[in-house]
Amino acid sequence: MSPFNVEVFNIGFCSITKVCGFIPSFVYPPNIIPPLWFVGYFPMKTAFTIWTWLHLIATGFVLWGANILLVSHSRAFRTICSISVAFLYGFVFDLQVGNVATFIAVLLLGMFIYARKDRDIIAGALLGIALFKPTLVILFIPYFLIKRRFQLVFISIVTVTFLTVIGLAVTGNSLTGFIQDATRGFPLWLNDPSNNAYISMSRLDLRVMGPRFFPDSPFVAKLFSDSIILVLVGLVSWYFYKKQSRNAWSQKVDLSEMVLISTLSIAINYSQPTSSVMLAPAVVFLLNDLCFQIKNCAFSRQRMSVWLLGVGCVMVQTAVIHGGLLVFLGKRWNWKGGELPYLFKVTIFSLPSYAILGLTLSVLVLAITSLRQKQVAEFDRPS
């Protein structure tokens, strides 16, 4: 049966889980079917156990990949890195709801590690597989085009096309049939209280900012959100252009660039709490930046303030604050009925969105100042 058909998905979901009524439609693209296909051959309880263990293993791979990217070999720094990454709410929430975001984090970390080693075929294949959740991954395509890593992009497109064809064949779909089902199901999914920008309490992306501040004026709300996103994309694009110009349009990939693409992916596209797994590279970046400052004795009050802002923004996305405090407070109101107080909606319950914006700007400032400091350090280094 095709999960992309609204009626089929609702009937199937009801018969399997006994959760019936209005259920948001299945909005993943067809290329998600091949990676998940094997689970369907097991009984429900066995599949649940397999899926849970796969999430735990994937979390372990994320911690391993984060430690690979950490420049310090200090056991203390590695312990801090592992604990900080593991405390991100996305990993906890992903394990609770069985989302695929943790697997996206594994694939992207692997892609970045292999891309740094110029192994573009493997990196491209990993990126192509990760495109089964395109909102978190799609921005890496133009990024690698800017880097002129054309082989990597080509392999990723071939991989995602191959998986899409298999996914359509398995579900008995044609491309036109899938597009018709998706066109009909997506608006239903978007209007669900958990996803609706005017009602949702859990979304992290910046597209909810306008609806929260201006719930009675859709035009102003959209203009407000789009303006913030446009400025943010413009600043990051300006940084990429300046850096590429200074480095003679180098093909090398940098951790700061990956972090910025990751935070932008969360900021400008629909993002739920599971998406905060994408912030694992940001944790590594902040620790690497601290190591760089310690090594070069290049501390400044202004720069450390920006670094502390970044750390604070990461803390907002941890299981303690986001998963504990916000979820606990949210249960006091019928937020699905739109009864969340306006003042709380634009303050405490918008903290995750503010944190994504603040973290992006913090990383951007730290990356620009680090680039200048590295140039000064190289200039002063004796020949």
Side-chain angles (χ1 to χ4, degrees), residues 47-262:
F48 173 81
T49 302
I50 292 172
W51 198 240
T52 301
W53 275 104
L54 285 176
H55 271 82
L56 293 172
I57 293 170
T59 302
F61 273 114
V62 172
L63 298 179
W64 183 38
N67 277 275
I68 290 175
L69 298 177
L70 195 65
V71 295
S72 174
H73 296 290
S74 165
R75 180 174 296 181
F77 264 93
R78 292 188 179 278
T79 302
I80 292 171
C81 178
S82 298
I83 293 175
S84 301
V85 171
F87 261 77
L88 289 172
Y89 182 49
F91 291 105
V92 179
F93 190 68
D94 196 9
L95 189 60
Q96 291 175 339
V97 300
N99 200 270
V100 294
T102 302
F103 302 116
I104 297 294
V106 173
L107 291 167
L108 290 181
L109 279 172
M111 173 210 69
F112 181 72
I113 291 170
Y114 281 112
R116 282 178 42 158
K117 298 178 179 179
D118 295 323
R119 302 179 69 175
D120 285 0
I121 295 178
I122 299 177
L126 293 174
L127 178 59
I129 297 171
L131 279 165
F132 62 67
K133 192 157 187 174
T135 55
L136 295 181
V137 182
I138 195 68
L139 290 182
F140 284 97
I141 297 294
Y143 167 68
F144 282 114
L145 287 175
I146 293 173
K147 287 291 182 177
R148 297 183 299 169
R149 305 290 285 266
F150 301 122
Q151 184 184 40
L152 191 157
V153 174
F154 175 75
I155 294 296
S156 68
I157 293 174
V158 170
T159 302
V160 71
T161 303
F162 177 71
L163 293 175
T164 299
V165 171
I166 294 177
L168 290 173
V170 168
T171 56
N173 266 288
S174 64
L175 183 59
T176 53
F178 162 73
I179 292 175
Q180 290 175 356
D181 287 339
T183 302
R184 190 161 60 99
F186 185 74
L188 299 175
W189 173 85
L190 199 59
N191 286 326
D192 182 76
S194 297
N195 307 321
N196 190 303
Y198 287 87
I199 301 175
S200 176
M201 185 187 72
S202 58
R203 284 180 59 168
L204 309 179
D205 55 282
L206 300 182
R207 294 194 179 277
V208 300
M209 298 309 301
R212 288 178 181 174
F213 275 96
F214 307 101
D216 300 322
S217 179
F219 174 77
V220 177
K222 188 176 188 307
L223 181 63
F224 185 75
S225 294
D226 288 347
S227 299
I228 297 175
I229 291 171
L230 186 63
V231 171
L232 194 63
V233 171
L235 289 173
V236 174
S237 300
W238 171 81
Y239 166 71
F240 282 163
Y241 173 77
K242 295 293 288 185
K243 186 175 181 181
Q244 285 293 90
S245 299
R246 290 181 180 181
N247 297 334
W249 298 93
S250 170
Q251 294 187 350
K252 293 183 178 180
V253 294
D254 186 72
L255 181 60
S256 64
E257 297 169 349
M258 182 189 183
V259 174
L260 288 171
I261 295 296
S262 298

Side-chain angles (χ1 to χ4, degrees), residues 265-340:
S265 299
I266 300 175
I268 70 176
N269 294 312
Y270 165 85
S271 297
Q272 288 282 14
T274 55
S275 301
S276 62
V277 300
M278 294 280 285
L279 300 181
V283 174
V284 180
F285 172 82
L286 290 172
L287 289 173
N288 284 350
D289 187 81
L290 181 61
C291 290
F292 175 79
Q293 297 305 312
I294 294 173
K295 181 179 178 181
N296 293 278
C297 298
F299 288 99
S300 71
R301 183 177 301 175
Q302 293 82 3
R303 200 177 188 286
M304 281 306 299
S305 298
V306 175
W307 186 86
L308 289 172
L309 173 63
V311 171
C313 291
V314 170
M315 290 179 64
V316 172
Q317 302 294 348
T318 60
V320 177
I321 296 179
H322 192 171
L325 179 62
L326 298 187
V327 173
F328 171 77
L329 291 175
K331 291 179 179 178
R332 295 173 59 89
W333 289 277
N334 178 23
W335 62 270
K336 289 186 177 181
E339 297 178 4
L340 202 64

